[in-house]
Amino acid sequence: MKSSYKFKFFLNASHAIRWKEGLGEAHPHTYELICEVEFGGFLKFNEVEDQIYQVLDPLEGQFLNDLPAFKEINPTLEKLTYYLFEQINQGMVALNCELLRIEVGESPTRYFCLQK
């Protein structure tokens, strides 16, 4: 039997979608993230949370389009979710954990989900 924990976080950031016609209107989001983590052995919650905050804190309050990760990549909900999954999962390895699934919502009714 496998077990996992889910952790919930919020990220305030803004972005503008790049269209063929040019840059769309900049607008803010309070993104909700739900990270499902599988672990081996004993899990220290604060270490997992700290590792995730190391990824989220540099994004907090930022205009995503200005960040190096999104200079060439359109900062859509989907691209942001892929970026977060990759960055968070890298940090989980050091904790003997694995990010199984991430859900990122840009509104209470719209989420993009990735899972291993």
Side-chain angles (χ1 to χ4, degrees):
M1 184 179 323
K2 290 188 176 192
S3 56
S4 64
Y5 277 100
K6 286 187 177 181
F7 296 85
K8 186 185 288 191
F9 301 87
F10 294 93
L11 169 66
N12 293 298
S14 59
H15 70 147
I17 302 300
R18 295 180 190 100
W19 304 99
K20 290 179 186 176
E21 301 81 28
L23 191 63
E25 185 176 332
H27 58 282
H29 288 286
T30 296
Y31 295 98
E32 180 177 9
L33 290 79
I34 301 171
C35 299
E36 185 174 357
V37 176
E38 183 181 56
F39 60 97
F42 184 73
L43 181 67
K44 292 183 178 179
F45 299 133
N46 63 320
E47 289 180 357
V48 172
E49 293 164 345
D50 288 348
Q51 195 67 44
I52 294 171
Y53 278 124
Q54 285 184 26
V55 173
L56 298 181
D57 284 350
L59 305 177
E60 183 66 32
Q62 299 296 315
F63 182 58
L64 298 178
N65 298 60
D66 289 342
L67 302 177
F70 298 103
K71 281 290 188 186
E72 302 297 323
I73 297 172
N74 211 358
T76 62
L77 174 61
E78 298 84 4
K79 299 291 182 165
L80 175 61
T81 305
Y82 277 103
Y83 171 80
L84 291 171
F85 189 99
E86 179 183 305
Q87 296 298 309
I88 291 170
N89 195 47
Q90 285 178 10
M92 293 297 107
V93 174
L95 300 176
N96 198 29
C97 297
E98 182 178 16
L99 183 61
L100 296 177
R101 179 179 172 91
I102 189 170
E103 302 174 16
V104 181
E106 65 179 9
S107 79
T109 60
R110 188 178 317 120
Y111 283 76
F112 186 73
C113 306
L114 290 175
Q115 71 183 49
K116 271 203 162 176

